[in-house]
Amino acid sequence: MAEHHAHAAAHDDHDHKPHGWRRWVYATNHKDIGTMYLIFAGTMFFIGGGMAMIIRAELFRPGLQFVDPQFFNSMTTMHALVMIFGAVMPAWTGLANWMIPMQVGAPDMALPRLNNFSFWILPFAFTLLLSSLFVPGGAPAGGWTMYPPLVLQTGASFPMLIFAVHMMGASSILGAINVVVTIMNMRAPGMTLLRMPLFVWSWLITAYLLIAVMPVLAGAVTMLLTDHFFGTTFFTAAGGGDPVMFQHIFWFFGHPEVYILILPAFGIISEIIPTFSRKPLFGYEAMVYAVASIAFLSFIVWAHHMFTVGMPLAAQLFFMLSTMLIAIPTGVKVFNWTATMWKGSLSFEPPMLFALAFLFLFTIGGFSGLMLAMVPADYQYQDTYFVVAHFHYVLVPGAVFAIMAGVYYWLPKWTGRMYDQTLATWHFWLSTIFVNVLFFPQHFLGLAGMPRRIPDYAVQFTDWNMVSSIGGFGFGLSQLLFPYIIVQCVRSGKPVGNRAWEGAHGLEWELPSPPPYHSWTTPPSAAVIARGAAH
Amino acid sequence: MQPLPHTIDAAQRRRRVRRSALLFGLIAAGFYVGFIVMMLVRATR
């Protein structure tokens, strides 16, 4: 017996893990699955980015240059689907997989085999979706919102789109269940809810949103499928159906989806700013309640996406005012981040630079969102490039910058090595300059009346489109630095200690860098938890 | 280091994990079916 224990202890002392392809295909370790999610998300980011380059090349000047209108519409549709479901969401799940067990003092996710399954659905879903580019009729081109009746005219790629969306939804729901169950059941003793890091809190709330709304999207696309193939008329006016109802259902999913994409970003920024300000987060509890309030409000604002379909004045007023209410908890967050920095001992390493850019640029996206929330103004902005500028400010220097900030923040922990900070600072400045050159002119184009989702435009829009396209190419090229920096770090970065950033707090920094294959096999002590929860 | 609560009540924890995963799975399935049923009910009115 004693011999058995000694053997088991020796067994735990080294990183016992499967090798070769089995390590990845049969992976149940949260770090391996997190790595696979992040690599997948990065791959999709470059595929979706390639589609964006095609869009910006076509729009560089008026007239048709490179692609026909049908293919252009496919590019806008696929770019959105790939970036939302293939890049940003899997990147968040990858970060959740890596960090949540380490941050709550758990050995792994609660459901490791489910974790493996929810990841491996994704490559199949996106192979299916991307292969629709090669079927007769081309890839889906009716927009990522899949509005009927237009989407029902899609050719052979229609069932591929629907099946792929179902698979993405299933993957997200299973991943979200795993996150909730892990946080609720696997926290170390003493890790109370109000001691959890903000990243864990924001992911917990995000996971609840996912469980609530992804099935709604799945229901909507199932009904599209039966309308297309089985003679139902849920959304077909000719058979008594209601296409506007699809928009209501879609946006009941779609608006919380926006927060699914951004809430984990709030968590990451709330980790990074205190670290590089060398101060505890200002108003920890207020931050938690603000995230929860934003999540709640996200369920009662959906119709602001469809003011122009026509609705009663009272409904317009309700959705306008409820949308504006979101500015209050969001303002609390922006105020608290700023107050955290106030009189702090600031330093500007790459994660902090990305976090600061997030703070400024996401706020710009928030302000244009307030403009769009006003019903009479929205009638003017609807379906123009102003909307494109708005949501790209929220999603690129918002969600994508926060993901990059998170990777730059935790990469030394994951690899045990420090990356080239000079190169990462170059990555930051190039990204920040070009993202503004890319998206800020789109506000002007939208206000001047340029419609979105068109391959050609009136000559008066030429100059700002050229500027925007130059920004797009610059932004796209500068992203090549990101994988280079990561690979260089993994191969030849300088070794770092447990606490790669001197101001960092949290349980993950108590583990060695890189952390052992099985992280908290012994739960952290109360003192370690108290030291970690420095807020 | 503290004793290992991870392993002490491992069976109970496993039960709780399974139960809560099942509960959330059922909630998700309920939303999926619920919205389709809601549309069907609306169509028959």
Side-chain angles (χ1 to χ4, degrees), chain A residues 280-501:
Chain A
L281 181 69
F282 183 89
Y284 169 85
E285 287 189 29
M287 294 296 248
V288 172
Y289 297 133
V291 174
S293 309
I294 292 169
F296 169 75
L297 287 170
S298 75
F299 283 104
I300 55 167
V301 299
W302 77 88
H304 69 217
H305 291 273
M306 38 186 291
F307 280 141
T308 55
V309 297
M311 63 182 79
L313 184 62
Q316 288 186 333
L317 273 172
F318 173 80
F319 286 110
M320 177 172 80
L321 294 173
S322 59
T323 303
M324 288 179 167
L325 266 183
I326 296 177
I328 295 172
T330 311
V332 168
K333 300 193 78 65
V334 172
F335 176 83
N336 284 4
W337 288 323
T338 313
T340 304
M341 288 186 283
W342 178 252
K343 292 190 175 175
S345 177
L346 300 181
S347 60
F348 299 97
E349 287 85 348
M352 182 65 161
L353 290 172
F354 275 100
L356 287 174
F358 171 94
L359 191 55
F360 281 99
L361 301 177
F362 173 78
T363 305
I364 290 178
F367 281 139
S368 57
L370 271 177
M371 294 169 72
L372 285 160
M374 289 183 272
V375 177
D378 185 71
Y379 271 71
Q380 176 72 18
Y381 306 143
Q382 165 77 21
D383 263 344
T384 69
Y385 256 80
F386 191 83
V387 180
V388 179
H390 156 69
F391 67 73
H392 278 97
Y393 260 89
V394 174
L395 290 178
V396 184
V400 173
F401 271 31
I403 291 165
M404 288 172 177
V407 170
Y408 280 132
Y409 185 55
W410 283 311
L411 189 61
K413 170 55 61 185
W414 300 338
T415 60
R417 294 170 184 277
M418 182 53 78
Y419 49 86
D420 183 339
Q421 292 197 47
T422 311
L423 217 48
T425 306
W426 270 99
H427 177 216
F428 164 76
W429 282 111
L430 289 171
S431 299
T432 303
I433 291 166
F434 281 124
V435 86
N436 285 291
V437 177
L438 166 58
F439 294 122
F440 209 82
Q442 295 181 3
H443 291 108
F444 311 143
L445 289 167
L447 291 175
M450 178 172 161
R452 60 191 287 208
R453 290 173 173 156
I454 52 158
D456 189 9
Y457 50 81
V459 286
Q460 79 222 45
F461 302 128
T462 307
D463 293 347
W464 285 125
N465 267 300
M466 282 186 171
V467 172
S468 181
S469 291
I470 290 166
F473 301 140
F475 183 76
L477 285 174
S478 56
Q479 296 324 303
L480 297 175
L481 280 171
F482 193 42
Y484 176 76
I485 291 166
I486 294 171
V487 171
Q488 192 194 42
C489 170
V490 172
R491 285 191 172 167
S492 56
K494 282 186 188 151
V496 292
N498 293 5
R499 200 175 297 272
W501 312 106

